[in-house]
Amino acid sequence: QLQKDLEEVKELLTNATRKRVRDVLVAEKHKLELEIKNQPLPKPKDVAEEEKSSLGGYTVKINNYGWDQSDKFVKIYISLSGVQKLPAENVQVNFTERSFDLLVKNLNGKNYTMTFNNLLKPISVEGSSRKIKTDMVLVMCKKKREEKWDCLTQVEKESKEKEKAAYDTADPSEGLMNILKKMYAEGDDEMKRTINKAWVESREKQYKGDIPMDI
């Protein structure tokens, strides 16, 4: 409304010839311009609400992924059947220096999310990107420094270190036993049979005196 008033005042100014009328119109013009300038910007919709309304169906958290790395990038592969058929804007990735989150909207009536926090090392936000391939999203995290990553997140690193510490005991045979116990507990039937066989053979050799140490 104010914009229309301003346009009309400008039009009147071009036709006004008397000084007093022109002064009044100029004053009114400045007043309107000031009002327009100070008008509050229309409030953007709450982003979360907007996303909520645009997200149909329900949201599924992605837990399965594969990853590898080159000198410059850490690459995360996420399998999503039919993702290549979506509009590009439906596949969004937000990066920070130590995290990223993926949102895939309205894929077969569902939304998919994946979040990685506390990445092992800092990444370049500007250099990172995502690629949509057949039945797959590839997230490319650009390394800030060209160095090898042992794992993806700080949590994974701490978990590995704790596991390693459990096996690094003073007695090497005890460390070996811990590893065998873990393999046995987590292995399939074939793995259990193999370990049992190796154990029996080891005990037999011991009894024959081939192995002096007691495992």
Side-chain angles (χ1 to χ4, degrees), residues 167-178 213-215:
Y167 298 140
D168 287 350
T169 57
D171 182 349
S173 65
E174 191 184 329
L176 178 64
M177 281 303 300
N178 283 338
M213 71 172 192
D214 182 23
I215 296 180

Side-chain angles (χ1 to χ4, degrees), residues 145-161:
R145 289 187 298 277
E146 293 185 17
E147 55 188 325
K148 190 185 175 201
W149 289 27
D150 296 325
C151 44
L152 270 181
T153 64
Q154 194 64 36
V155 175
E156 279 179 57
K157 184 187 177 191
E158 286 165 11
S159 173
K160 276 186 180 180
E161 283 172 355

Side-chain angles (χ1 to χ4, degrees), residues 33-162:
E33 283 171 345
L34 199 62
E35 277 187 58
I36 289 167
K37 189 181 174 185
N38 292 333
Q39 257 190 327
L41 288 167
K43 281 187 182 176
K45 271 189 188 177
D46 183 83
V47 175
E49 283 299 313
E50 196 171 297
E51 286 216 330
K52 220 182 208 176
S53 63
S54 67
L55 295 178
Y58 61 94
T59 299
V60 178
K61 194 173 178 185
I62 303 167
N63 292 313
N64 295 325
Y65 63 91
W67 76 284
D68 68 7
Q69 59 185 310
S70 63
D71 290 341
K72 295 183 179 179
F73 288 93
V74 169
K75 305 166 190 177
I76 297 95
Y77 302 88
I78 300 117
S79 295
L80 286 169
S81 182
V83 70
Q84 73 277 7
K85 295 171 188 170
L86 289 176
E89 62 268 19
N90 280 33
V91 181
Q92 301 168 1
V93 183
N94 293 314
F95 296 95
T96 74
E97 195 176 67
R98 292 297 286 268
S99 73
F100 74 84
D101 60 86
L102 164 73
L103 171 63
V104 178
K105 294 195 222 173
N106 200 19
L107 175 60
N108 303 321
K110 296 176 192 171
N111 309 300
Y112 293 83
T113 64
M114 171 180 259
T115 301
F116 270 94
N117 291 316
N118 298 315
L119 289 170
L120 186 65
K121 297 176 189 289
I123 61 172
S124 160
V125 175
E126 299 77 23
S128 299
S129 61
R130 60 102 179 99
K131 291 181 180 176
I132 301 167
K133 298 179 173 286
T134 304
D135 298 333
M136 181 185 288
V137 177
L138 169 59
V139 178
M140 307 271 291
C141 296
K142 174 86 183 290
K143 296 177 179 178
K144 275 216 163 171
R145 289 187 298 277
E146 293 185 17
E147 55 188 325
K148 190 185 175 201
W149 289 27
D150 296 325
C151 44
L152 270 181
T153 64
Q154 194 64 36
V155 175
E156 279 179 57
K157 184 187 177 191
E158 286 165 11
S159 173
K160 276 186 180 180
E161 283 172 355
K162 277 182 193 167

